[in-house]
Structures are given as C-alpha cells and as structure tokens.
Amino acid sequence: MGTKGKVIKCKAAIAWEAGKPLCIEEVEVAPPKAHEVRVQIIAAGLCRSDTHVISPKFEGAFLPVILGHEGAGIVESVGPGVTNVKPGDKVIPLYIPHCRKCKFCLSPLTNFCEKFCKGKNPLIEQELMEDKTSRFTCKGKSIYHFFGISAFSQYTVVKDINLAKIDDDANLERVCLLGCGFSTGYGAAINTAKVTPGSTCAVFGLGGVGLSAIIGCKTAGASRIIAIDINSDKFPKAKALGATDCLNPKELNKPVQDVIVEMTNGGVDFAIDCAGGSEVMKATVECTTVGWGLCTFVGVNLADKGLAISPMELIMGRTLKGTNFGGWDAETVPKLVSDYKNGKFDLDALVTHTLPFDKINEALNLLNQGKSIRTVLIF
Ligand code: CND
Ligand code: ZN
Ligand code: ZN
C-alpha cells in the first residue's frame, strides 16, 4: 500500500515556544498540492540559523514551527504539475526558490528568485505554502513550515521550485550540508567575494559556514587566510582546512581589526563575516585595506541592531557585499554534489557528530556550547 495521496503520520521536532527544547512529536503530513513535493528526509545538518528564530531575543518568529533548512532526502510523491522531480529522486531542498523564469532567475548576477524577493525577511516568510496553509498538523494544531523546508521531520512538503534534483548515488549523509552550511561559506568566498589567487583573507567565525569559507579561500588560491574566533578550540580545524593564522579577539590587547591591519601591512584584500553581529561586522570592514578591500557579510544576528558605518570607510575604496546561500541555486547545487563526489572538497571535516534524529536537542546543546561544527541527524 503506497502513501501517495494519503496523510503520512511520522515524527518531527516541533518548536512550540521560543527558548524551550524541541519536542519530538507525531505529526500528520498532508499530501502535496499543485507544484508541491513530499520528501522523505534521510539526513539533515543543524545550522546556527535554525536557532535564531527560537531565541527568546527574537520577536518575529512564527510558532509552533518545524525547523531545519540543511537536509537531503528522497521524493515520496509529487502534486499535480510537478515536472522537475519524480518519486524516488534524491533531492536537496533549497531555501531560495528557483522558478527559472523570472528576471532574477534569468540573471547571472544573483541566485535570487522573484518568489524570494517579496517581503521584509523572505526566509522566515516561507512559513506557509503558496495557498497560505501548512501541510503539517500536530495535536490538531497547524504547524508552520520554516525557510520553505522544515527538514526536521521524517517527511516534509516543499514547493517544486525549492528543490535541487541530485545524482542517484549521492551520499545524503554528507551532501545535506550543501543545503546550507558548506554552500553558503564556500560560495561566499568563491562566488560572492570572488577571492583571487595570492590574496590575503580574514574569516570571522569558525563554525560550519566560516570553515567552509576558509575552504573556499584556499580553493581560490589565497596566500594568507587569517581565521578569527572567540573560541580557540576552533583553531586546529581551521588550520587543517587552510588557515595560515588564527586570532582570538578575547586574547588580544587591542581590537582584532587593528592586529590584522598590522599583520598584513594595511589590511586584507577580502574579509568575510561568518559570525554576525555589529561588532564583528565593524571589525570585518575595518580589517580590510583601503583602496580595494572587499567585505562580505554572511553571518546573521536577528536580535542585533546592525552596522553603523562612516561614509569614509567606503569613500576610501572599500566595498560591502552580502550573500544568501553563497550564490548557489537549484541549477548549480547538483554541480556541487558532483564536485564533492569527484573529491574537489571534503565535507567529512565539517561533520563532528552524527546522531539519530530524536537526539536533536543534544545536537542543539553541542552547537550552543561551541563543541560541534556540524551534527548530522539521521532519520
Ligand atoms: P556557528 O555558531 O557554528 O559558528 C559561529 C562561530 O562564530 C562560532 O565558532 C562562534 O564562536 C564564533 N563567534 C561568535 N561571536 C564571535 C565574535 N564576536 N568574533 C569571532 N567569532 C565569533 O554558526 P554557523 O557556522 O552555522 O553559521 C554562521 C553564521 O552564518 C550564523 O550567523 C548563521 O545564522 C549565518 C548563516 C547565514 C547564511 C546566509 O546565507 N547568509 C546561511 N546560513 C547561516
Ligand atoms: Zn525566479
Ligand atoms: Zn544555514
């Protein structure tokens, strides 16, 4: 007896309230409607962005919600009108849709889609499907989707335009990291900053995103990569992945940006913020060289007031950029999967822990205590 067209009962991790542990519950997952796809999640990573919306400091969250935006799985069934995937296909759900028709999708200048450019915060505004309803129910209550993905459920429903179809032999326990962390950091360096051979780089924040940015800087041929974190336990891995120098701002007697400027004879060519928050953003700007220094913002701190900047910082020749998902989209993620298979980069180094899905709160604790880079949850 197949499940197509039927409600599936399965386990999901629900955030009922901010600041509380997630609850593993039985949920009902409705069949996909037109241009929707029901996906069986096989593996998912835990990214810092999953935790922002359940932080008590953040007030804009849609709750209760099923988090998770770094997953990989197999198509269980498709709704009417779906042509890009079929049952049995391996897929990575993407939080940036790709309709392939709009002016953004047709432009090589962005990985955005018209469907993603509406609203103030398009990420958290993907909390419902196109018809403004949810496909998840628990204890009679409708549960919000998250980033259009909700990977922390054994089955989820996503829009067809939020899916990348990948190779049948892809290792889902690794390529799930291409759904956010690796792609975001690596793409920040090679697609957004376009780090050049022989250049000097500074990467702030050495989680899954920042370490992936280091891999990107090294791949691009940077000659010096300065890695910065307030947790020195992150340094051995950063060095193993290509960092040439490591700095802990807490152990310095002057601002880290001043130290970087001294170390590099006036500042780095490229600085990438993979931590977030106004203090790091300021340091990211101020550690780049006048003339051509390029800052790329990746880190997000929803509770933070953001960057106050003097026009002189830019008038002196610096450039500020930001990136969402490292510039990748549904057409380029399958190529990243092939690159991984062909050994172009290593994802194993980012996976510090593997846990069964129902241990998700343990994974959250490891992340919050700075003990993990990526925990891959197995469903
Ligand atoms: P994770 O929490 O694993 O890593 C962040 C690292 O930053 C940790 O090692 C911290 O110790 C370090 N850190 C914190 N404060 C400072 C500071 N003041 N100076 C230096 N280092 C500091 O997070 P992650 O790697 O999963 O994600 C990193 C950020 O990227 C986070 O803000 C997340 O929300 C954001 C992000 C952005 C995007 C995008 O597309 N732009 C996608 N996913 C995640
Ligand atoms: Zn589009
Ligand atoms: Zn993420």
Side-chain angles (χ1 to χ4, degrees):
M1 285 261 288
T3 45
K4 186 177 188 312
K6 297 179 186 152
V7 170
I8 291 181
K9 287 187 180 178
C10 67
K11 297 265 182 266
I14 298 192
W16 292 103
E17 281 177 74
K20 296 275 168 65
L22 305 180
C23 298
I24 303 289
E25 310 271 14
E26 184 176 89
V27 292
E28 288 163 17
V29 185
K33 295 189 182 176
H35 291 287
E36 295 176 3
V37 178
R38 192 159 56 183
V39 177
Q40 180 188 8
I41 297 291
I42 301 295
L46 179 61
C47 172
R48 173 60 62 190
S49 298
D50 291 311
T51 69
H52 293 323
V53 292
I54 48 167
S55 157
K57 288 187 205 149
F58 177 60
E59 288 171 356
F62 295 93
L63 297 171
V65 63
I66 298 174
L67 299 170
H69 65 284
E70 194 178 83
I74 297 172
V75 173
E76 175 268 339
S77 62
V78 302
V82 174
T83 55
N84 57 335
V85 293
K86 59 182 187 315
D89 282 349
K90 285 189 175 174
V91 288
I92 298 180
L94 304 181
Y95 51 86
I96 299 189
H98 192 60
C99 78
R100 297 171 194 245
K101 292 190 285 239
C102 73
K103 73 169 185 181
F104 298 98
C105 285
L106 294 175
S107 167
L109 300 175
T110 182
N111 60 337
F112 288 1
C113 172
E114 191 175 79
K115 299 264 182 197
F116 184 71
C117 296
K118 292 176 188 150
K120 205 168 160 205
N121 187 337
L123 286 171
I124 58 171
E125 284 168 31
Q126 296 189 78
E127 82 282 8
L128 293 171
M129 303 306 282
E130 198 76 15
D131 66 356
K132 299 288 170 212
T133 63
S134 167
R135 300 292 163 266
F136 297 115
T137 314
C138 180
K139 297 177 182 166
K141 286 204 174 98
S142 174
I143 310 293
Y144 285 117
H145 295 243
F146 178 67
F147 278 22
I149 295 181
S150 292
F152 299 155
S153 177
Q154 289 173 320
Y155 286 85
T156 186
V157 177
V158 302
K159 294 179 201 167
D160 55 359
I161 56 172
N162 286 65
L163 281 176
K165 180 189 165 340
I166 59 171
D167 288 347
D168 289 342
D169 60 355
N171 175 1
L172 300 184
E173 293 183 18
R174 286 294 173 272
V175 301
C176 59
L177 301 191
L178 300 180
C180 185
F182 178 79
S183 307
T184 298
Y186 182 71
I190 66 166
N191 293 333
T192 310
K194 297 188 168 56
V195 168
T196 50
S199 60
T200 51
C201 301
V203 176
F204 290 79
L206 306 175
V209 176
L211 291 173
S212 302
I214 288 179
I215 298 174
C217 293
K218 187 170 157 89
T219 306
S223 62
R224 195 164 187 192
I225 304 169
I226 303 171
I228 303 104
D229 203 296
I230 50 172
N231 177 356
S232 302
D233 292 347
K234 305 282 175 107
F235 294 163
K237 188 145 275 180
K239 285 215 164 137
L241 292 173
T244 53
D245 309 79
C246 293
L247 295 175
N248 183 337
K250 286 185 169 172
E251 291 169 1
L252 303 171
N253 56 15
K254 56 177 122 173
V256 64
Q257 54 268 45
D258 294 358
V259 174
I260 297 170
V261 166
E262 280 169 22
M263 283 165 72
T264 54
N265 189 26
V268 292
D269 302 310
F270 300 95
I272 306 178
D273 166 16
C274 300
S278 47
E279 201 182 313
V280 180
M281 290 164 87
K282 186 172 183 314
T284 304
V285 174
E286 292 177 0
C287 80
T288 58
T289 180
V290 300
W292 59 78
L294 173 65
C295 310
T296 301
F297 294 131
V298 185
V300 179
N301 185 337
L302 290 176
D304 189 85
K305 59 189 181 309
L307 180 69
I309 192 168
S310 151
M312 284 315 288
E313 305 283 8
L314 304 185
I315 287 169
M316 290 306 287
R318 295 186 179 91
T319 303
L320 304 190
K321 289 180 105 175
T323 187
N324 216 318
F325 193 45
W328 309 101
D329 60 26
E331 276 173 80
T332 47
V333 165
K335 292 178 191 141
L336 272 181
V337 172
S338 306
D339 286 349
Y340 167 63
K341 199 169 64 183
N342 296 329
K344 193 165 171 196
F345 50 78
D346 177 23
L347 294 174
D348 290 353
L350 302 176
V351 181
T352 51
H353 300 77
T354 303
L355 287 174
F357 160 59
D358 56 7
K359 297 263 165 59
I360 190 164
N361 286 311
E362 208 175 298
L364 273 166
N365 290 339
L366 288 165
L367 183 69
N368 289 334
Q369 292 162 5
K371 291 183 179 157
S372 62
I373 300 300
R374 278 298 191 261
T375 299
V376 171
L377 301 161
I378 308 296
F379 286 69

